[in-house]
Coordinates of all heavy atoms in Angstrom, one line a residue:
M1 N -10.9 8.7 27.1 CA -9.8 8.0 26.5 C -8.8 8.9 26.1 O -8.8 10.0 25.5 CB -10.2 7.1 25.2 CG -9.2 6.2 24.8 SD -9.4 5.8 23.1 CE -7.9 5.2 22.7
E2 N -7.5 8.5 26.6 CA -6.3 9.3 26.2 C -6.0 9.1 24.8 O -5.8 8.2 24.4 CB -5.3 9.0 27.2 CG -4.3 10.1 27.4 CD -3.2 9.9 28.7 OE1 -4.0 9.6 29.7 OE2 -2.2 10.1 28.6
T3 N -5.6 10.2 24.4 CA -5.2 10.2 22.8 C -4.4 11.4 22.4 O -4.3 12.3 23.1 CB -6.5 10.1 22.0 OG1 -6.0 10.3 20.6 CG2 -7.4 11.3 22.3
N4 N -3.6 11.2 21.6 CA -2.7 12.2 21.0 C -3.3 12.8 19.7 O -2.7 13.6 18.9 CB -1.4 11.7 20.6 CG -0.5 11.1 21.8 OD1 -0.5 11.8 22.8 ND2 0.0 10.1 21.6
A5 N -4.5 12.5 19.5 CA -5.2 13.1 18.4 C -5.3 14.6 18.6 O -5.6 15.1 19.6 CB -6.7 12.4 18.3
P6 N -5.0 15.3 17.4 CA -5.1 16.7 17.4 C -6.6 17.2 17.7 O -7.5 16.6 17.3 CB -4.6 17.2 16.2 CG -4.8 16.1 15.2 CD -4.7 14.7 16.1
S7 N -6.8 18.4 18.3 CA -8.2 18.7 18.4 C -8.8 19.5 17.4 O -9.8 19.8 17.2 CB -8.3 19.6 19.8 OG -7.5 20.7 19.7
V8 N -7.7 20.2 16.6 CA -8.1 20.9 15.4 C -7.3 20.3 14.2 O -6.2 19.7 14.3 CB -7.9 22.4 15.4 CG1 -8.8 23.0 16.4 CG2 -6.5 22.8 15.7
C9 N -7.9 20.4 13.0 CA -7.2 19.8 11.9 C -6.0 20.5 11.5 O -6.0 21.8 11.3 CB -8.3 19.8 10.7 SG -7.6 19.3 9.1
P10 N -4.9 19.9 11.5 CA -3.5 20.5 11.2 C -3.6 21.0 9.7 O -2.7 21.8 9.3 CB -2.5 19.5 11.5 CG -3.1 18.2 11.4 CD -4.6 18.4 11.8
K11 N -4.5 20.5 8.9 CA -4.6 20.9 7.5 C -5.4 22.2 7.1 O -4.8 23.0 6.5 CB -5.1 19.7 6.8 CG -4.0 18.8 6.1 CD -4.8 17.9 5.1 CE -3.7 17.0 4.4 NZ -4.5 16.0 3.5
C12 N -6.5 22.2 7.7 CA -7.5 23.2 7.5 C -8.0 24.0 8.8 O -8.7 24.9 8.6 CB -8.7 22.8 6.6 SG -9.7 21.8 7.5
G13 N -7.6 23.5 10.0 CA -8.0 24.2 11.1 C -9.5 23.9 11.6 O -9.9 24.6 12.6
S14 N -10.1 23.1 11.0 CA -11.4 22.7 11.4 C -11.4 21.7 12.5 O -10.5 21.2 13.0 CB -12.3 22.0 10.2 OG -12.3 22.8 9.2
E15 N -12.6 21.5 13.1 CA -12.7 20.6 14.4 C -12.5 19.2 13.8 O -12.6 18.8 12.6 CB -14.1 20.7 15.0 CG -14.3 22.1 15.5 CD -14.8 21.9 17.1 OE1 -15.1 20.9 17.5 OE2 -14.7 23.0 17.6
I16 N -11.8 18.4 14.8 CA -11.5 17.0 14.6 C -12.7 16.2 15.2 O -13.0 16.5 16.3 CB -10.2 16.6 15.2 CG1 -9.1 17.3 14.3 CG2 -10.0 15.1 15.1 CD1 -8.7 16.6 12.9
K17 N -13.3 15.4 14.5 CA -14.3 14.5 15.0 C -13.9 13.1 15.3 O -13.2 12.5 14.5 CB -15.4 14.5 13.8 CG -16.9 14.2 14.4 CD -17.7 14.3 13.2 CE -18.9 13.4 13.3 NZ -19.6 13.4 11.9
H18 N -14.3 12.6 16.4 CA -14.0 11.3 16.8 C -15.0 10.2 16.3 O -16.2 10.4 16.3 CB -14.2 11.1 18.3 CG -13.8 9.7 18.9 ND1 -14.8 8.9 19.6 CD2 -12.8 8.9 18.5 CE1 -14.2 7.7 19.8 NE2 -13.1 7.6 19.3
I19 N -14.5 9.3 15.5 CA -15.3 8.2 14.8 C -15.0 6.9 15.6 O -14.0 6.4 15.6 CB -14.9 8.2 13.4 CG1 -14.7 9.4 12.7 CG2 -15.9 7.0 12.7 CD1 -16.0 10.2 12.5
P20 N -16.1 6.6 16.4 CA -15.8 5.4 17.1 C -15.6 4.1 16.2 O -16.1 4.2 15.1 CB -17.2 5.2 18.1 CG -18.1 6.0 17.4 CD -17.4 7.0 16.5
A21 N -15.0 3.1 17.0 CA -14.9 1.9 16.1 C -16.1 1.3 15.5 O -17.1 1.5 16.3 CB -14.1 0.8 16.9
G22 N -16.0 0.7 14.5 CA -17.4 0.2 14.0 C -17.2 -0.7 12.9 O -16.2 -1.4 12.6
V23 N -18.2 -0.9 12.1 CA -18.2 -1.8 11.0 C -18.6 -1.1 9.7 O -19.5 -0.3 9.7 CB -19.3 -2.9 11.3 CG1 -19.5 -3.8 10.0 CG2 -18.9 -3.8 12.5
S24 N -17.7 -1.3 8.7 CA -18.0 -0.5 7.5 C -19.2 -0.9 6.8 O -19.6 -2.2 6.8 CB -16.8 -0.9 6.5 OG -17.1 -0.3 5.2
K25 N -19.9 -0.1 6.2 CA -21.1 -0.2 5.4 C -20.8 -0.5 4.1 O -21.7 -1.1 3.3 CB -22.2 0.9 5.6 CG -22.6 1.3 6.9 CD -23.7 2.4 6.8 CE -24.3 2.7 8.2 NZ -23.5 3.8 8.9
T26 N -19.7 -0.3 3.6 CA -19.3 -0.4 2.3 C -18.3 -1.5 2.0 O -18.2 -2.2 1.0 CB -18.9 0.9 1.6 OG1 -17.9 1.3 2.4 CG2 -19.9 1.8 1.5
K27 N -17.4 -1.8 2.9 CA -16.2 -2.6 2.7 C -16.5 -4.0 3.4 O -17.2 -4.1 4.5 CB -15.0 -2.0 3.3 CG -14.4 -0.9 2.3 CD -13.1 -0.2 2.9 CE -12.8 0.9 2.1 NZ -11.9 1.8 2.8
V28 N -16.0 -5.0 2.8 CA -16.1 -6.4 3.4 C -14.7 -6.9 3.6 O -13.7 -6.4 3.0 CB -17.0 -7.3 2.6 CG1 -18.4 -6.9 2.6 CG2 -16.5 -7.4 1.2
D29 N -14.5 -7.8 4.7 CA -13.4 -8.4 4.8 C -13.1 -9.6 3.9 O -13.9 -9.9 3.1 CB -13.0 -8.7 6.3 CG -14.1 -9.8 6.7 OD1 -14.7 -10.5 5.9 OD2 -14.2 -9.9 8.0
K30 N -11.9 -10.3 4.0 CA -11.8 -11.4 3.2 C -12.7 -12.6 3.4 O -12.9 -13.5 2.6 CB -10.3 -11.9 3.3 CG -10.0 -12.3 4.6 CD -8.6 -12.7 4.8 CE -8.1 -13.0 6.3 NZ -6.7 -13.3 6.5
F31 N -13.6 -12.5 4.4 CA -14.5 -13.6 4.5 C -15.8 -13.1 4.0 O -16.9 -13.8 4.1 CB -14.6 -14.0 6.0 CG -13.3 -14.4 6.6 CD1 -12.7 -13.6 7.6 CD2 -12.7 -15.6 6.2 CE1 -11.5 -13.9 8.2 CE2 -11.5 -16.0 6.6 CZ -10.9 -15.2 7.6
G32 N -16.0 -12.0 3.6 CA -17.2 -11.4 2.9 C -18.1 -10.8 4.0 O -19.3 -10.5 3.6
S33 N -17.7 -10.7 5.3 CA -18.5 -10.0 6.3 C -18.1 -8.6 6.3 O -16.8 -8.3 6.0 CB -18.4 -10.7 7.6 OG -17.1 -11.3 7.9
P34 N -18.9 -7.8 6.8 CA -18.5 -6.3 6.8 C -17.2 -6.0 7.6 O -17.0 -6.7 8.6 CB -19.8 -5.7 7.7 CG -21.0 -6.6 7.5 CD -20.2 -8.1 7.4
A35 N -16.5 -5.3 7.0 CA -15.1 -5.1 7.6 C -15.2 -4.2 8.8 O -15.8 -3.3 8.8 CB -14.1 -4.3 6.6
K36 N -14.4 -4.6 9.7 CA -14.4 -3.8 11.1 C -13.3 -2.7 11.0 O -12.3 -2.9 10.2 CB -14.1 -4.6 12.2 CG -15.2 -5.6 12.5 CD -14.9 -6.4 13.8 CE -15.9 -7.3 14.1 NZ -15.4 -8.8 13.9
Y37 N -13.4 -1.6 11.6 CA -12.4 -0.6 11.6 C -12.2 -0.1 13.1 O -13.2 -0.1 13.8 CB -12.6 0.6 10.7 CG -13.9 1.3 10.8 CD1 -14.2 2.3 11.8 CD2 -15.1 1.0 10.1 CE1 -15.2 3.0 11.9 CE2 -16.2 1.6 10.3 CZ -16.4 2.6 11.1 OH -17.5 3.2 11.4
N38 N -11.0 0.3 13.3 CA -10.7 0.9 14.6 C -11.2 2.4 14.6 O -11.4 2.9 13.7 CB -9.1 0.9 14.9 CG -8.6 -0.5 15.1 OD1 -9.3 -1.4 15.5 ND2 -7.5 -0.7 14.6
E39 N -11.3 2.8 15.9 CA -11.7 4.3 16.1 C -10.6 5.1 15.5 O -9.5 4.8 15.3 CB -12.0 4.6 17.6 CG -10.5 4.5 18.4 CD -10.7 5.1 19.8 OE1 -11.7 5.5 20.1 OE2 -9.7 4.8 20.5
F40 N -11.1 6.3 15.0 CA -10.2 7.3 14.5 C -10.8 8.6 14.6 O -12.0 8.8 15.0 CB -9.8 6.8 13.1 CG -11.0 7.0 11.9 CD1 -11.1 8.0 11.2 CD2 -11.8 5.8 11.9 CE1 -12.1 8.1 10.3 CE2 -12.9 5.9 10.9 CZ -13.1 7.0 10.2
W41 N -10.1 9.5 14.3 CA -10.5 10.9 14.4 C -10.5 11.6 12.8 O -9.5 11.3 12.1 CB -9.6 11.8 15.2 CG -9.9 11.4 16.7 CD1 -10.6 12.2 17.5 CD2 -9.4 10.3 17.4 NE1 -10.6 11.7 18.8 CE2 -9.9 10.5 18.8 CE3 -8.7 9.2 17.1 CZ2 -9.7 9.5 19.8 CZ3 -8.5 8.2 18.1 CH2 -9.0 8.3 19.4
A42 N -11.4 12.3 12.5 CA -11.4 12.8 11.0 C -11.8 14.3 11.1 O -12.5 14.6 11.9 CB -12.3 12.1 10.2
C43 N -11.3 15.0 10.2 CA -11.5 16.4 10.0 C -13.1 16.6 9.7 O -13.5 15.9 8.8 CB -10.7 17.0 8.9 SG -11.1 18.6 8.5
E44 N -13.6 17.5 10.4 CA -15.0 17.6 10.3 C -15.4 18.3 8.9 O -16.5 18.1 8.4 CB -15.6 18.4 11.3 CG -17.0 18.3 11.6 CD -17.5 18.5 13.0 OE1 -17.0 19.6 13.6 OE2 -18.3 17.7 13.7
A45 N -14.4 19.2 8.4 CA -14.6 19.7 7.2 C -14.3 18.8 6.0 O -14.4 19.1 4.8 CB -13.7 21.0 7.0
K46 N -14.0 17.6 6.3 CA -13.7 16.5 5.3 C -12.7 17.0 4.3 O -12.9 16.8 3.1 CB -15.1 16.2 4.7 CG -16.0 15.5 5.6 CD -17.1 14.8 4.8 CE -18.0 14.0 5.5 NZ -19.0 14.7 6.5
C47 N -11.6 17.4 4.9 CA -10.5 18.0 3.9 C -9.6 16.6 3.7 O -8.7 16.9 2.8 CB -9.7 19.0 4.6 SG -8.6 18.5 5.8
G48 N -9.9 15.6 4.2 CA -9.1 14.4 4.0 C -8.2 14.1 5.2 O -7.6 13.0 5.1
Y49 N -8.1 15.0 6.1 CA -7.2 14.6 7.2 C -7.8 13.7 8.1 O -9.0 13.8 8.4 CB -6.8 15.8 7.9 CG -5.9 15.5 9.2 CD1 -4.6 15.4 8.9 CD2 -6.4 15.4 10.5 CE1 -3.7 15.1 10.1 CE2 -5.6 15.0 11.6 CZ -4.3 14.9 11.2 OH -3.6 14.6 12.3
S50 N -7.1 12.8 8.6 CA -7.6 11.8 9.6 C -6.4 11.4 10.6 O -5.3 11.4 10.2 CB -8.4 10.6 9.0 OG -7.3 9.6 8.3
W51 N -6.7 11.0 11.8 CA -5.8 10.6 12.7 C -6.2 9.3 13.3 O -7.4 9.0 13.6 CB -5.7 11.7 13.8 CG -4.5 11.5 14.7 CD1 -3.3 12.0 14.6 CD2 -4.3 10.5 15.9 NE1 -2.4 11.5 15.6 CE2 -3.0 10.6 16.4 CE3 -5.3 9.8 16.5 CZ2 -2.7 9.9 17.5 CZ3 -4.9 9.0 17.6 CH2 -3.6 9.2 18.1
P52 N -5.4 8.2 13.5 CA -3.9 8.3 13.2 C -3.7 8.4 11.8 O -4.5 7.9 10.9 CB -3.3 6.9 13.6 CG -4.4 6.3 14.4 CD -5.8 7.0 14.1
E53 N -2.6 9.2 11.3 CA -2.5 9.4 9.9 C -2.0 8.1 9.3 O -1.4 7.3 9.9 CB -1.3 10.3 9.7 CG -1.7 11.9 10.2 CD -0.7 12.9 10.0 OE1 -0.3 13.2 8.9 OE2 0.0 13.3 11.0
K54 N -2.5 8.0 8.0 CA -2.3 6.8 7.4 C -0.8 6.5 7.3 O 0.0 7.6 6.8 CB -2.9 6.8 6.0 CG -4.5 6.7 6.3 CD -5.2 6.4 4.8 CE -6.6 6.2 5.0 NZ -7.1 7.7 5.2
R55 N -0.2 5.4 7.5 CA 1.1 5.3 7.3 C 1.4 5.0 5.9 O 0.4 4.7 5.1 CB 1.6 3.9 8.1 CG 1.6 4.3 9.5 CD 1.8 3.4 10.4 NE 1.4 4.1 11.7 CZ 1.2 3.5 12.8 NH1 1.6 2.3 13.0 NH2 0.7 4.2 13.8
G56 N 2.6 5.1 5.4 CA 2.9 4.8 4.0 C 2.2 3.7 3.4 O 2.1 2.6 4.2
V57 N 1.7 3.8 2.3 CA 1.2 2.7 1.6 C 2.2 1.5 1.6 O 3.3 1.8 1.4 CB 0.7 3.0 0.2 CG1 0.0 2.1 -0.5 CG2 -0.2 4.4 0.2
S58 N 1.7 0.3 1.8 CA 2.6 -0.8 1.9 C 3.1 -1.0 0.5 O 2.5 -0.8 -0.6 CB 1.9 -2.0 2.4 OG 0.8 -2.3 1.6
A59 N 4.4 -1.5 0.5 CA 5.1 -1.7 -0.9 C 4.3 -2.6 -1.7 O 3.6 -3.5 -1.2 CB 6.4 -2.3 -0.6
P60 N 4.3 -2.4 -2.9 CA 3.5 -3.2 -3.9 C 4.0 -4.5 -3.8 O 5.3 -4.8 -3.7 CB 3.7 -2.5 -5.3 CG 4.9 -1.7 -5.2 CD 5.0 -1.2 -3.7
K61 N 3.2 -5.4 -4.0 CA 3.5 -7.0 -3.9 C 4.0 -7.4 -5.3 O 3.3 -7.3 -6.2 CB 2.5 -7.8 -3.3 CG 2.3 -7.6 -1.9 CD 1.3 -8.5 -1.2 CE 1.1 -8.2 0.3 NZ -0.2 -8.0 0.5
Y62 N 5.1 -8.0 -5.4 CA 5.6 -8.6 -6.6 C 5.2 -10.0 -6.6 O 5.3 -10.8 -5.7 CB 7.1 -8.4 -6.8 CG 7.5 -7.0 -7.0 CD1 8.1 -6.3 -5.7 CD2 7.2 -6.2 -8.0 CE1 8.6 -5.0 -5.9 CE2 7.7 -4.9 -8.0 CZ 8.3 -4.3 -7.1 OH 8.7 -3.0 -7.2
D63 N 4.9 -10.4 -7.7 CA 4.8 -11.8 -8.0 C 6.3 -12.4 -8.2 O 6.9 -12.3 -9.2 CB 3.9 -12.1 -9.1 CG 3.6 -13.5 -9.3 OD1 4.4 -14.4 -8.9 OD2 2.5 -13.8 -9.9
Q64 N 6.7 -12.9 -7.1 CA 8.1 -13.5 -7.0 C 8.4 -14.4 -8.3 O 9.5 -14.3 -8.9 CB 8.5 -14.1 -5.8 CG 9.9 -14.3 -5.5 CD 10.4 -13.3 -4.5 OE1 9.4 -12.6 -3.8 NE2 11.6 -12.9 -4.3
D65 N 7.5 -15.3 -8.6 CA 7.8 -16.3 -9.5 C 7.8 -15.6 -10.9 O 8.7 -16.0 -11.8 CB 6.7 -17.4 -9.6 CG 6.7 -18.3 -8.4 OD1 7.8 -18.3 -7.8 OD2 5.7 -18.9 -8.1
K66 N 6.9 -14.7 -11.2 CA 7.0 -14.1 -12.5 C 8.3 -13.2 -12.6 O 8.8 -13.1 -13.7 CB 5.7 -13.2 -12.7 CG 4.5 -13.9 -13.1 CD 3.3 -13.1 -13.5 CE 2.3 -13.9 -13.9 NZ 1.0 -13.2 -13.7
L67 N 8.7 -12.6 -11.4 CA 9.9 -11.7 -11.5 C 11.0 -12.8 -11.8 O 11.8 -12.2 -12.7 CB 10.0 -11.2 -10.2 CG 11.0 -10.0 -10.0 CD1 10.5 -8.8 -10.9 CD2 11.2 -9.5 -8.6
L68 N 11.1 -13.9 -11.2 CA 12.3 -14.8 -11.5 C 12.2 -15.2 -12.9 O 13.3 -15.3 -13.6 CB 12.4 -16.0 -10.5 CG 12.6 -15.7 -9.0 CD1 12.3 -16.8 -8.2 CD2 14.1 -15.1 -9.0
E69 N 10.9 -15.5 -13.4 CA 10.8 -15.9 -14.8 C 11.3 -14.8 -15.7 O 12.0 -15.1 -16.6 CB 9.3 -16.2 -15.0 CG 9.1 -16.8 -16.4 CD 9.6 -18.3 -16.5 OE1 9.7 -18.9 -15.4 OE2 9.9 -18.7 -17.6
A70 N 11.0 -13.6 -15.5 CA 11.5 -12.6 -16.3 C 12.9 -12.5 -16.3 O 13.6 -12.2 -17.3 CB 10.8 -11.2 -15.6
I71 N 13.6 -12.5 -15.2 CA 15.1 -12.5 -15.0 C 15.7 -13.6 -15.8 O 16.7 -13.3 -16.5 CB 15.4 -12.6 -13.5 CG1 15.1 -11.4 -12.8 CG2 17.0 -12.8 -13.3 CD1 15.2 -11.4 -11.3
K72 N 15.1 -14.7 -15.7 CA 15.6 -15.9 -16.6 C 15.6 -15.6 -18.0 O 16.5 -15.8 -18.7 CB 14.6 -17.1 -16.3 CG 15.3 -18.3 -15.6 CD 14.4 -19.6 -15.7 CE 14.5 -20.4 -14.5 NZ 13.3 -21.3 -14.4
I73 N 14.4 -15.1 -18.4 CA 14.3 -14.7 -19.9 C 15.3 -13.7 -20.3 O 16.1 -13.8 -21.3 CB 12.9 -14.2 -20.2 CG1 11.9 -15.4 -20.0 CG2 12.8 -13.6 -21.6 CD1 10.4 -14.9 -19.9
V74 N 15.5 -12.8 -19.4 CA 16.7 -11.6 -19.7 C 18.0 -12.5 -19.8 O 18.9 -12.1 -20.7 CB 16.6 -10.6 -18.6 CG1 17.8 -9.7 -18.7 CG2 15.4 -9.8 -18.7
N75 N 18.3 -13.3 -18.8 CA 19.5 -14.0 -19.0 C 19.7 -14.7 -20.3 O 20.8 -14.8 -20.8 CB 19.6 -15.0 -17.7 CG 20.2 -14.2 -16.4 OD1 20.8 -13.2 -16.5 ND2 20.0 -14.7 -15.3
E76 N 18.8 -15.4 -20.6 CA 18.9 -16.2 -21.7 C 18.9 -15.3 -22.9 O 20.0 -15.7 -23.7 CB 17.5 -17.0 -22.1 CG 17.2 -18.2 -21.0 CD 18.3 -19.2 -21.2 OE1 18.8 -19.5 -22.1 OE2 18.8 -19.4 -20.0
N77 N 18.4 -14.1 -23.0 CA 18.6 -13.3 -24.1 C 19.9 -12.7 -24.1 O 20.5 -12.4 -25.2 CB 17.4 -12.2 -24.2 CG 16.1 -12.7 -24.7 OD1 16.0 -13.6 -25.4 ND2 15.1 -12.1 -23.9
V78 N 20.5 -12.5 -22.9 CA 21.9 -11.9 -22.8 C 22.8 -12.9 -23.5 O 23.7 -12.6 -24.1 CB 22.2 -11.5 -21.3 CG1 23.7 -11.3 -21.2 CG2 21.3 -10.3 -20.9
K79 N 22.6 -14.2 -23.1 CA 23.5 -15.3 -23.5 C 23.5 -15.3 -25.1 O 24.5 -15.4 -25.7 CB 23.0 -16.7 -23.0 CG 23.6 -16.9 -21.6 CD 23.2 -18.3 -21.2 CE 23.2 -18.5 -19.7 NZ 22.4 -19.6 -19.2
I80 N 22.2 -15.2 -25.7 CA 22.1 -15.3 -27.1 C 22.8 -14.2 -27.6 O 23.5 -14.3 -28.6 CB 20.6 -15.3 -27.5 CG1 19.9 -16.6 -27.0 CG2 20.4 -15.1 -28.9 CD1 18.5 -16.6 -27.0
A81 N 22.7 -13.0 -27.1 CA 23.2 -11.8 -27.6 C 24.8 -11.9 -27.6 O 25.3 -11.4 -28.6 CB 22.8 -10.5 -26.9
V82 N 25.3 -12.4 -26.5 CA 26.8 -12.5 -26.4 C 27.2 -13.4 -27.5 O 28.3 -13.2 -28.1 CB 27.1 -13.0 -24.9 CG1 28.5 -13.5 -24.9 CG2 26.9 -12.0 -23.8
S83 N 26.5 -14.6 -27.6 CA 27.1 -15.5 -28.5 C 27.0 -14.9 -30.0 O 27.8 -15.3 -30.8 CB 26.3 -16.9 -28.5 OG 24.9 -16.8 -28.9
L84 N 26.0 -14.2 -30.3 CA 25.8 -13.5 -31.7 C 26.9 -12.7 -31.8 O 27.5 -12.5 -32.8 CB 24.5 -12.8 -31.6 CG 23.2 -13.6 -32.1 CD1 21.9 -12.8 -32.0 CD2 23.4 -14.2 -33.4
L85 N 27.3 -11.8 -30.7 CA 28.4 -10.9 -30.7 C 29.7 -11.6 -31.1 O 30.5 -11.1 -31.8 CB 28.5 -10.1 -29.4 CG 27.5 -8.9 -29.4 CD1 27.5 -8.2 -28.0 CD2 27.9 -7.8 -30.4
K86 N 29.8 -12.7 -30.3 CA 31.1 -13.5 -30.5 C 31.1 -14.1 -32.0 O 32.2 -13.9 -32.7 CB 31.1 -14.8 -29.6 CG 31.5 -14.4 -28.2 CD 31.6 -15.6 -27.3 CE 32.0 -15.2 -25.9 NZ 31.6 -16.3 -25.0
Q87 N 30.1 -14.4 -32.6 CA 30.0 -14.8 -34.0 C 30.4 -13.7 -34.9 O 31.2 -13.9 -35.7 CB 28.6 -15.4 -34.4 CG 28.3 -16.8 -34.0 CD 26.8 -17.2 -34.2 OE1 26.3 -16.8 -35.2 NE2 26.3 -18.0 -33.3
L88 N 29.8 -12.6 -34.6 CA 30.0 -11.4 -35.4 C 31.5 -10.9 -35.4 O 32.0 -10.5 -36.3 CB 29.1 -10.2 -35.0 CG 27.7 -10.2 -35.6 CD1 26.8 -9.2 -34.8 CD2 27.7 -10.2 -37.0
T89 N 32.1 -11.1 -34.1 CA 33.5 -10.6 -34.0 C 34.3 -11.6 -34.4 O 35.5 -11.4 -34.2 CB 33.7 -9.9 -32.6 OG1 33.3 -11.0 -31.7 CG2 32.8 -8.7 -32.4
G90 N 33.9 -12.9 -34.6 CA 34.8 -14.0 -35.0 C 35.6 -14.4 -33.8 O 36.7 -15.1 -33.9
Q91 N 35.1 -14.4 -32.5 CA 35.8 -14.8 -31.3 C 35.4 -16.3 -31.1 O 34.2 -16.6 -31.1 CB 35.5 -14.0 -30.2 CG 36.3 -12.6 -30.4 CD 36.1 -11.7 -29.0 OE1 35.9 -12.3 -27.9 NE2 36.3 -10.5 -29.4
Ligands
LIG101 ZN1 -9.3 19.5 7.7

C-alpha cells in the first residue's frame, strides 16, 4: 500500500511500525460495541509519535444555551449597574 508514512520516527529515530486497522480492546463506540480504528503507523520505541499525526484537538464544545443564558445574566447585571450609577449620579 502506498503511504507517506515516514520509515523512521522523526521524533526519536526509531523504526515506525504499521498497525493494521482493527478493533479497539479498550474503547467502545457510542453504541457500546468495540470501537474500530483505521490503520496507522506508530513509533516502535513508543515515544508517542504516530502517523497520520493527530490533527489539532477539536475545539471544545460549548453549551450554546448556557452561554446565552450567561450573556443574558451579564446584560441584566449591566442594566442594574447602569441604573444604580444613574441614581448615584442623580441623572
Ligand atoms: Zn519515536
Side-chain angles (χ1 to χ4, degrees):
M1 186 199 158
E2 203 161 309
T3 170
N4 294 319
S7 54
V8 293
C9 175
K11 263 190 178 176
C12 71
S14 299
E15 295 236 349
I16 291 285
K17 200 172 149 191
H18 176 237
I19 314 291
V23 172
S24 174
K25 290 184 182 101
T26 51
K27 287 178 185 161
V28 293
D29 64 16
K30 58 185 171 181
F31 304 111
S33 35
K36 293 185 185 108
Y37 57 84
N38 293 327
E39 64 174 353
F40 65 98
W41 286 257
C43 172
E44 205 152 47
K46 295 193 169 71
C47 74
Y49 178 81
S50 65
W51 190 96
E53 290 180 68
K54 289 191 180 77
R55 289 182 196 164
V57 184
S58 58
K61 283 186 186 123
Y62 293 106
D63 188 329
Q64 197 103 16
D65 288 343
K66 277 192 181 148
L67 198 63
L68 288 174
E69 189 66 28
I71 291 169
K72 243 191 217 169
I73 292 167
V74 170
N75 270 337
E76 287 305 311
N77 284 328
V78 168
K79 272 184 205 160
I80 293 166
V82 166
S83 70
L84 280 174
L85 277 173
K86 278 181 181 167
Q87 278 173 36
L88 279 173
T89 54
Q91 284 181 28

